Amino acid sequence: MKKIIISFLLCVVSLTASAQIKSLDLKGSLRSDLGLGAGLTFGVLEYVDFAPSFTYFFPSDGTAFSIDGDFHYNVVVNDRIELFPVLGASVYHRNYGHKADKTKFGLNAGAGIRYYLTDQVSLIGEAKYQFLFGGDGLDDPILNVGISLNL
């Protein structure tokens, strides 16, 4: 498992090394709890983006966070709207306070929309499902809504 994770991380690093940063994304998330997150979007190919992000959730007991690395294939609808399917990997960590921690690896699948307010600012919305390996009931749909500062 460690070899797979290291190989995945090396692939991600090599992709982002040749990519340009397109935007800084700030978002609010709704999973089973509310969360706040931030991420970057890298232009990898003409229509393909890589979007790593970190989201901290606020459960009623303990703490939780998710680290995601998603790929988007941008479909330009017009000069203001882009639609994109989402496919990526994630690491979800949940601490229950008095109980043992759980860290699970998984896959993300979903879709999103980007609406350009100006050339520098856009609104983003994303709905995806986080499939966790051995999830123990931690699999959840995630709804992200936020603002993107285009660089």
Side-chain angles (χ1 to χ4, degrees):
M1 184 67 160
K2 287 182 183 180
K3 290 180 183 180
I4 293 171
I5 294 169
I6 290 171
S7 297
F8 174 75
L9 290 175
L10 288 174
C11 288
V12 168
V13 168
S14 66
L15 278 175
T16 58
S18 64
Q20 292 182 333
I21 297 176
K22 286 178 62 174
S23 66
L24 169 66
D25 308 323
L26 305 171
K27 61 186 175 179
S29 296
L30 178 61
R31 197 173 192 274
S32 52
D33 300 301
L34 293 175
L36 293 175
L40 294 172
T41 300
F42 295 91
V44 179
L45 299 171
E46 184 177 358
Y47 294 107
V48 178
D49 293 340
F50 175 65
S53 65
F54 175 85
T55 306
Y56 185 85
F57 295 97
F58 302 96
S60 58
D61 59 337
T63 60
F65 65 84
S66 180
I67 300 170
D68 300 318
D70 295 329
F71 286 94
H72 303 164
Y73 182 82
N74 301 312
V75 178
V76 178
V77 176
N78 60 37
D79 61 338
R80 293 258 184 231
I81 298 173
E82 286 181 0
L83 302 175
F84 53 89
V86 175
L87 186 60
S90 65
V91 177
Y92 180 74
H93 178 79
R94 179 77 161 90
N95 179 324
Y96 293 95
H98 62 283
K99 295 181 185 177
D101 294 356
K102 289 185 180 182
T103 301
K104 301 291 181 180
F105 297 93
L107 298 174
N108 299 324
I113 185 169
R114 179 181 302 269
Y115 180 79
Y116 289 92
L117 297 173
T118 68
D119 288 341
Q120 274 66 43
V121 179
S122 57
L123 299 176
I124 50 174
E126 188 177 87
K128 62 184 177 181
Y129 195 85
Q130 192 173 53
F131 301 94
L132 299 174
F133 303 119
D136 300 330
L138 294 175
D139 293 354
D140 257 334
I142 301 172
L143 179 62
N144 296 318
V145 177
I147 192 163
S148 180
L149 306 172
N150 305 317
L151 305 173

